[in-house]
Amino acid sequence: MSFSSFSDFVHMGGQGPFVWSAYGLTVVVLVYNLVWPVVLARRHAERVRRQHPTEAR
Amino acid sequence: MWNWFHRLGSPRTFFEISGRLLPWFQAGSVLLLVVGAVWGLAFAPPDYQQGNSARIMYVHVPSSILAQSSYMMMAVAGAVHLIWRIKLADVALQCAAPIGASLTFLALVTGSIWGRPTWGTWWEWDARMTSTLVLLFLFLGIIALRSAMEGREGAGRATAVLAVVGVVNLPIIKYSVDWWNSLHQTSSFSFTEKPAMPAEMWLPLLVMVIAYYLFFFTAWMMRMRAEILVRERRTEWVKQLVSA
Protein backbone atom coordinates (compact mmCIF):
# COMPACT_ATOMS: atom_id res chain seq x y z
CA MET A 1 0.00 0.00 0.00
CA SER A 2 1.49 3.29 -1.01
CA PHE A 3 -0.79 5.52 1.13
CA SER A 4 -1.02 5.74 4.91
CA SER A 5 -4.66 6.86 5.13
CA PHE A 6 -7.79 7.07 3.01
CA SER A 7 -7.66 10.85 2.83
CA ASP A 8 -4.06 10.56 1.60
CA PHE A 9 -5.33 8.21 -1.07
CA VAL A 10 -8.03 10.65 -2.18
CA HIS A 11 -5.67 13.60 -2.04
CA MET A 12 -2.92 11.89 -4.11
CA GLY A 13 -0.33 14.38 -2.89
CA GLY A 14 -2.25 17.28 -4.40
CA GLN A 15 -2.72 15.55 -7.76
CA GLY A 16 -6.06 14.01 -6.87
CA PRO A 17 -8.13 16.04 -9.36
CA PHE A 18 -5.93 14.90 -12.27
CA VAL A 19 -5.72 11.25 -11.27
CA TRP A 20 -9.39 10.88 -10.35
CA SER A 21 -10.74 12.69 -13.38
CA ALA A 22 -8.63 10.47 -15.67
CA TYR A 23 -9.88 7.31 -13.95
CA GLY A 24 -13.45 8.59 -13.77
CA LEU A 25 -13.53 9.32 -17.48
CA THR A 26 -12.05 5.89 -18.18
CA VAL A 27 -14.88 4.25 -16.23
CA VAL A 28 -17.47 6.29 -18.16
CA VAL A 29 -16.05 5.32 -21.57
CA LEU A 30 -15.62 1.64 -20.68
CA VAL A 31 -19.12 1.34 -19.18
CA TYR A 32 -20.60 3.05 -22.25
CA ASN A 33 -18.93 0.44 -24.47
CA LEU A 34 -20.52 -2.38 -22.47
CA VAL A 35 -23.99 -0.92 -21.96
CA TRP A 36 -24.65 0.52 -25.43
CA PRO A 37 -24.36 -2.84 -27.28
CA VAL A 38 -26.92 -4.31 -24.84
CA VAL A 39 -29.31 -1.44 -25.61
CA LEU A 40 -28.72 -1.94 -29.36
CA ALA A 41 -29.27 -5.69 -29.17
CA ARG A 42 -32.57 -5.23 -27.27
CA ARG A 43 -33.72 -2.58 -29.72
CA HIS A 44 -32.83 -4.73 -32.73
CA ALA A 45 -34.49 -7.83 -31.28
CA GLU A 46 -37.60 -5.78 -30.62
CA ARG A 47 -37.59 -4.59 -34.22
CA VAL A 48 -37.39 -8.16 -35.53
CA ARG A 49 -40.22 -9.21 -33.21
CA ARG A 50 -42.43 -6.38 -34.45
CA GLN A 51 -41.79 -7.14 -38.11
CA HIS A 52 -42.23 -10.87 -37.74
CA PRO A 53 -44.83 -11.58 -35.09
CA THR A 54 -44.66 -15.22 -34.16
CA GLU A 55 -47.58 -17.30 -35.31
CA ALA A 56 -49.82 -18.71 -32.61
CA ARG A 57 -48.70 -22.25 -31.90
CA MET B 1 -9.47 -25.26 -44.62
CA TRP B 2 -11.67 -23.17 -46.94
CA ASN B 3 -14.73 -24.87 -45.66
CA TRP B 4 -13.72 -23.98 -42.13
CA PHE B 5 -12.93 -20.40 -43.13
CA HIS B 6 -16.33 -19.88 -44.67
CA ARG B 7 -18.18 -21.57 -41.86
CA LEU B 8 -16.51 -19.23 -39.38
CA GLY B 9 -17.47 -16.37 -41.67
CA SER B 10 -21.12 -17.23 -41.35
CA PRO B 11 -22.93 -14.83 -39.02
CA ARG B 12 -24.83 -17.67 -37.42
CA THR B 13 -21.69 -19.64 -36.51
CA PHE B 14 -20.12 -16.47 -35.17
CA PHE B 15 -23.22 -15.77 -33.11
CA GLU B 16 -23.13 -19.24 -31.56
CA ILE B 17 -19.39 -19.30 -30.84
CA SER B 18 -19.28 -15.73 -29.50
CA GLY B 19 -22.28 -16.47 -27.29
CA ARG B 20 -20.30 -19.21 -25.60
CA LEU B 21 -17.09 -17.15 -25.29
CA LEU B 22 -18.68 -13.89 -24.19
CA PRO B 23 -19.30 -14.63 -20.46
CA TRP B 24 -15.63 -15.61 -20.05
CA PHE B 25 -14.41 -12.49 -21.80
CA GLN B 26 -16.76 -10.26 -19.81
CA ALA B 27 -15.77 -11.77 -16.47
CA GLY B 28 -12.05 -11.82 -17.35
CA SER B 29 -11.92 -8.23 -18.56
CA VAL B 30 -13.86 -6.79 -15.62
CA LEU B 31 -11.81 -8.79 -13.12
CA LEU B 32 -8.48 -7.73 -14.64
CA LEU B 33 -9.60 -4.10 -14.99
CA VAL B 34 -10.49 -3.95 -11.30
CA VAL B 35 -7.27 -5.70 -10.23
CA GLY B 36 -5.12 -3.50 -12.46
CA ALA B 37 -6.84 -0.25 -11.44
CA VAL B 38 -6.64 -0.96 -7.69
CA TRP B 39 -3.02 -2.06 -8.07
CA GLY B 40 -2.10 1.02 -10.07
CA LEU B 41 -4.03 3.47 -7.88
CA ALA B 42 -3.23 2.21 -4.40
CA PHE B 43 -0.31 -0.20 -4.42
CA ALA B 44 2.09 0.84 -7.16
CA PRO B 45 4.73 3.31 -5.97
CA PRO B 46 4.50 6.99 -6.98
CA ASP B 47 6.98 8.17 -9.60
CA TYR B 48 10.04 9.78 -8.01
CA GLN B 49 9.66 12.86 -10.23
CA GLN B 50 5.98 13.05 -11.12
CA GLY B 51 4.54 11.76 -7.87
CA ASN B 52 1.03 10.35 -7.98
CA SER B 53 0.02 11.78 -11.36
CA ALA B 54 2.08 8.95 -12.87
CA ARG B 55 -0.80 6.65 -11.87
CA ILE B 56 -2.63 8.02 -14.91
CA MET B 57 -0.23 5.84 -16.90
CA TYR B 58 -2.24 2.73 -15.99
CA VAL B 59 -5.24 4.02 -17.94
CA HIS B 60 -3.51 6.20 -20.53
CA VAL B 61 -0.98 3.71 -21.92
CA PRO B 62 -3.44 0.81 -22.42
CA SER B 63 -6.01 3.08 -24.11
CA SER B 64 -3.31 4.39 -26.45
CA ILE B 65 -2.12 0.86 -27.26
CA LEU B 66 -5.66 -0.32 -27.91
CA ALA B 67 -6.52 2.78 -29.94
CA GLN B 68 -3.82 1.80 -32.44
CA SER B 69 -4.27 -1.93 -32.11
CA SER B 70 -8.03 -1.72 -32.67
CA TYR B 71 -7.41 0.35 -35.80
CA MET B 72 -5.08 -2.36 -37.09
CA MET B 73 -7.65 -5.09 -36.40
CA MET B 74 -10.34 -3.00 -38.07
CA ALA B 75 -8.14 -2.49 -41.14
CA VAL B 76 -7.42 -6.24 -41.34
CA ALA B 77 -11.19 -6.84 -41.25
CA GLY B 78 -11.49 -4.29 -44.07
CA ALA B 79 -8.85 -6.10 -46.14
CA VAL B 80 -10.53 -9.47 -45.55
CA HIS B 81 -13.82 -7.95 -46.65
CA LEU B 82 -12.28 -6.47 -49.81
CA ILE B 83 -10.39 -9.64 -50.79
CA TRP B 84 -12.76 -12.46 -49.86
CA ARG B 85 -16.07 -10.58 -49.68
CA ILE B 86 -16.83 -12.09 -46.30
CA LYS B 87 -19.82 -10.23 -44.85
CA LEU B 88 -18.86 -10.94 -41.27
CA ALA B 89 -15.64 -8.96 -41.86
CA ASP B 90 -17.79 -5.97 -42.78
CA VAL B 91 -19.74 -6.37 -39.54
CA ALA B 92 -16.41 -6.55 -37.69
CA LEU B 93 -15.17 -3.36 -39.35
CA GLN B 94 -18.35 -1.44 -38.66
CA CYS B 95 -18.43 -2.49 -35.01
CA ALA B 96 -14.75 -1.87 -34.29
CA ALA B 97 -14.92 1.79 -35.38
CA PRO B 98 -16.97 3.30 -32.53
CA ILE B 99 -15.06 1.32 -29.89
CA GLY B 100 -11.75 2.39 -31.42
CA ALA B 101 -12.93 5.99 -31.58
CA SER B 102 -13.91 5.99 -27.91
CA LEU B 103 -10.56 4.47 -26.87
CA THR B 104 -8.64 7.03 -28.97
CA PHE B 105 -10.68 9.80 -27.35
CA LEU B 106 -9.82 8.31 -23.95
CA ALA B 107 -6.12 8.15 -24.84
CA LEU B 108 -6.14 11.82 -25.90
CA VAL B 109 -8.05 13.11 -22.88
CA THR B 110 -6.20 11.08 -20.24
CA GLY B 111 -2.96 12.17 -21.93
CA SER B 112 -4.10 15.77 -21.75
CA ILE B 113 -5.00 15.44 -18.06
CA TRP B 114 -1.59 13.84 -17.40
CA GLY B 115 0.19 16.50 -19.44
CA ARG B 116 -1.09 19.39 -17.33
CA PRO B 117 0.76 18.54 -14.06
CA THR B 118 3.70 16.92 -15.88
CA TRP B 119 4.48 19.26 -18.78
CA GLY B 120 2.48 22.27 -17.64
CA THR B 121 0.21 22.18 -20.67
CA TRP B 122 -3.03 20.46 -21.62
CA TRP B 123 -2.15 20.21 -25.28
CA GLU B 124 0.75 20.70 -27.65
CA TRP B 125 0.57 20.37 -31.42
CA ASP B 126 3.46 17.98 -31.49
CA ALA B 127 3.84 14.86 -33.61
CA ARG B 128 2.59 12.23 -31.19
CA MET B 129 -0.53 14.08 -30.15
CA THR B 130 -1.38 15.38 -33.61
CA SER B 131 -1.02 11.95 -35.23
CA THR B 132 -3.22 10.43 -32.51
CA LEU B 133 -5.81 13.14 -33.20
CA VAL B 134 -5.64 12.12 -36.88
CA LEU B 135 -6.34 8.54 -35.74
CA LEU B 136 -9.50 9.77 -33.99
CA PHE B 137 -10.57 11.56 -37.19
CA LEU B 138 -9.96 8.37 -39.19
CA PHE B 139 -12.27 6.42 -36.88
CA LEU B 140 -14.90 9.18 -37.03
CA GLY B 141 -14.48 9.41 -40.81
CA ILE B 142 -15.18 5.71 -41.17
CA ILE B 143 -18.32 6.01 -39.03
CA ALA B 144 -19.49 9.09 -40.98
CA LEU B 145 -18.76 7.54 -44.38
CA ARG B 146 -20.78 4.47 -43.46
CA SER B 147 -23.80 6.48 -42.38
CA ALA B 148 -23.57 8.87 -45.34
CA MET B 149 -23.67 6.18 -48.02
CA GLU B 150 -26.77 4.44 -49.26
CA GLY B 151 -26.56 0.71 -49.79
CA ARG B 152 -24.66 -1.64 -47.53
CA GLU B 153 -22.46 -3.16 -50.26
CA GLY B 154 -20.95 0.08 -51.48
CA ALA B 155 -20.69 1.62 -48.02
CA GLY B 156 -18.93 -1.52 -46.78
CA ARG B 157 -16.34 -1.42 -49.56
CA ALA B 158 -15.75 2.32 -49.26
CA THR B 159 -15.17 2.17 -45.49
CA ALA B 160 -12.90 -0.86 -45.97
CA VAL B 161 -10.75 1.09 -48.45
CA LEU B 162 -10.56 4.08 -46.10
CA ALA B 163 -9.65 1.81 -43.17
CA VAL B 164 -6.86 0.11 -45.13
CA VAL B 165 -5.43 3.36 -46.51
CA GLY B 166 -5.49 4.91 -43.01
CA VAL B 167 -3.05 2.25 -41.75
CA VAL B 168 -0.27 4.55 -42.99
CA ASN B 169 -0.95 6.70 -39.90
CA LEU B 170 0.00 3.88 -37.47
CA PRO B 171 3.79 3.88 -38.07
CA ILE B 172 3.64 7.68 -37.97
CA ILE B 173 2.15 7.53 -34.46
CA LYS B 174 4.63 4.87 -33.38
CA TYR B 175 7.79 6.57 -34.62
CA SER B 176 6.63 10.16 -34.11
CA VAL B 177 8.52 10.35 -30.82
CA ASP B 178 11.74 9.21 -32.51
CA TRP B 179 11.46 11.18 -35.77
CA TRP B 180 10.54 14.57 -34.35
CA ASN B 181 11.32 16.43 -31.17
CA SER B 182 8.34 15.73 -29.01
CA LEU B 183 7.18 16.59 -25.54
CA HIS B 184 6.01 13.02 -25.38
CA GLN B 185 8.53 10.55 -24.04
CA THR B 186 9.74 7.65 -26.17
CA SER B 187 8.47 4.17 -25.47
CA SER B 188 9.50 2.61 -22.17
CA PHE B 189 8.89 -0.87 -23.51
CA SER B 190 10.21 -3.10 -26.23
CA PHE B 191 10.39 -6.82 -26.82
CA THR B 192 14.17 -6.87 -26.72
CA GLU B 193 15.06 -4.76 -23.71
CA LYS B 194 14.16 -4.67 -20.06
CA PRO B 195 11.41 -2.14 -19.22
CA ALA B 196 12.68 1.27 -18.13
CA MET B 197 10.69 1.09 -14.90
CA PRO B 198 10.59 -1.16 -11.83
CA ALA B 199 8.44 -4.30 -11.73
CA GLU B 200 6.08 -2.71 -9.19
CA MET B 201 5.09 -0.34 -11.99
CA TRP B 202 5.21 -2.43 -15.17
CA LEU B 203 3.39 -5.41 -13.67
CA PRO B 204 0.13 -3.52 -12.98
CA LEU B 205 0.56 -1.85 -16.37
CA LEU B 206 0.85 -5.25 -18.04
CA VAL B 207 -2.32 -6.39 -16.23
CA MET B 208 -4.12 -3.30 -17.51
CA VAL B 209 -2.95 -3.83 -21.09
CA ILE B 210 -4.21 -7.44 -21.05
CA ALA B 211 -7.46 -6.26 -19.41
CA TYR B 212 -7.97 -3.66 -22.16
CA TYR B 213 -7.41 -6.25 -24.88
CA LEU B 214 -9.98 -8.56 -23.28
CA PHE B 215 -12.28 -5.59 -22.87
CA PHE B 216 -11.96 -4.61 -26.51
CA PHE B 217 -12.79 -8.15 -27.68
CA THR B 218 -15.75 -8.23 -25.28
CA ALA B 219 -17.20 -4.94 -26.52
CA TRP B 220 -16.45 -5.90 -30.13
CA MET B 221 -18.28 -9.22 -29.88
CA MET B 222 -21.26 -7.59 -28.15
CA ARG B 223 -21.62 -4.96 -30.86
CA MET B 224 -21.21 -7.49 -33.65
CA ARG B 225 -23.93 -9.68 -32.16
CA ALA B 226 -26.32 -6.72 -32.02
CA GLU B 227 -25.48 -5.81 -35.63
CA ILE B 228 -25.99 -9.40 -36.82
CA LEU B 229 -29.53 -9.33 -35.41
CA VAL B 230 -30.31 -6.46 -37.79
CA ARG B 231 -28.52 -7.77 -40.86
CA GLU B 232 -29.88 -11.31 -40.52
CA ARG B 233 -33.36 -10.29 -39.41
CA ARG B 234 -34.99 -12.08 -42.33
CA THR B 235 -33.43 -15.45 -41.54
CA GLU B 236 -35.31 -18.16 -39.69
CA TRP B 237 -32.70 -18.57 -36.98
CA VAL B 238 -32.85 -14.90 -35.95
CA LYS B 239 -36.66 -14.90 -35.94
CA GLN B 240 -36.62 -17.97 -33.71
CA LEU B 241 -33.90 -16.53 -31.51
CA VAL B 242 -35.74 -13.30 -30.72
CA SER B 243 -39.10 -14.96 -30.21
CA ALA B 244 -37.64 -17.52 -27.79
Side-chain angles (χ1 to χ4, degrees):
Chain A
M1 191 58 131
S2 116
F3 299 95
S4 51
S5 73
F6 185 71
S7 67
D8 262 13
F9 177 58
V10 173
H11 191 242
M12 289 271 164
Q15 292 168 326
F18 299 110
V19 176
W20 291 114
S21 59
Y23 275 77
L25 189 81
T26 301
V27 170
V28 170
V29 171
L30 296 190
V31 167
Y32 155 78
N33 273 307
L34 289 184
V35 171
W36 187 240
V38 176
V39 174
L40 284 180
R42 287 216 184 124
R43 200 177 281 177
H44 295 166
E46 185 52 40
R47 187 171 143 199
V48 178
R49 260 195 296 272
R50 244 184 295 120
Q51 283 171 353
H52 309 277
T54 38
E55 310 81 39
R57 285 174 223 192
Chain B
M1 164 71 194
W2 277 105
N3 190 22
W4 174 83
F5 201 55
H6 278 277
R7 230 175 74 80
L8 198 73
S10 119
R12 187 179 181 175
T13 311
F14 172 82
F15 204 90
E16 283 165 6
I17 295 175
S18 64
R20 259 176 273 151
L21 292 177
L22 202 50
W24 299 98
F25 275 79
Q26 286 168 329
S29 58
V30 171
L31 183 76
L32 285 185
L33 280 171
V34 171
V35 169
V38 171
W39 196 346
L41 274 171
F43 294 91
D47 185 78
Y48 78 104
Q49 277 179 326
Q50 301 178 19
N52 287 306
S53 66
R55 297 183 194 282
I56 296 173
M57 170 176 80
Y58 305 110
V59 287
H60 170 70
V61 171
S63 7
S64 312
I65 290 176
L66 258 292
Q68 296 163 63
S69 196
S70 65
Y71 191 91
M72 195 63 220
M73 290 187 259
M74 183 181 73
V76 169
V80 168
H81 178 56
L82 287 174
I83 298 167
W84 288 294
R85 299 282 160 91
I86 293 175
K87 284 183 198 159
L88 188 65
D90 185 46
V91 178
L93 189 155
Q94 181 182 344
C95 296
I99 311 171
S102 72
L103 291 173
T104 310
F105 169 78
L106 195 59
L108 284 167
V109 179
T110 54
S112 172
I113 294 171
W114 195 6
R116 182 63 215 173
T118 314
W119 302 330
T121 177
W122 297 104
W123 183 261
E124 196 67 42
W125 289 103
D126 86 342
R128 176 53 74 80
M129 284 155 249
T130 309
S131 55
T132 305
L133 189 64
V134 169
L135 184 70
L136 177 63
F137 291 154
L138 277 169
F139 276 122
L140 296 180
I142 283 163
I143 297 169
L145 183 61
R146 163 95 49 183
S147 61
M149 279 183 75
E150 302 255 340
R152 184 166 290 150
E153 280 282 309
R157 245 170 287 148
T159 48
V161 170
L162 177 57
V164 171
V165 170
V167 167
V168 71
N169 189 38
L170 292 181
I172 297 178
I173 299 177
K174 178 158 169 45
Y175 295 109
S176 58
V177 287
D178 303 319
W179 290 343
W180 295 285
N181 279 322
S182 173
L183 262 185
H184 199 285
Q185 63 160 83
T186 54
S187 179
S188 304
F189 293 96
S190 76
F191 285 113
T192 49
E193 285 164 53
K194 283 208 311 191
M197 61 176 87
E200 302 89 77
M201 289 172 104
W202 67 254
L203 269 174
L205 184 57
L206 182 67
V207 170
M208 279 306 253
V209 172
I210 296 169
Y212 264 67
Y213 266 102
L214 282 180
F215 176 84
F216 176 75
F217 289 126
T218 305
W220 201 7
M221 277 193 275
M222 288 171 76
R223 266 190 194 261
M224 286 177 69
R225 287 165 65 81
E227 179 64 21
I228 285 171
L229 286 184
V230 176
R231 295 200 185 190
E232 302 290 305
R233 63 183 177 279
R234 289 187 189 86
T235 62
E236 270 315 307
W237 73 271
V238 167
K239 288 183 206 168
Q240 279 176 6
L241 188 84
V242 298
S243 62

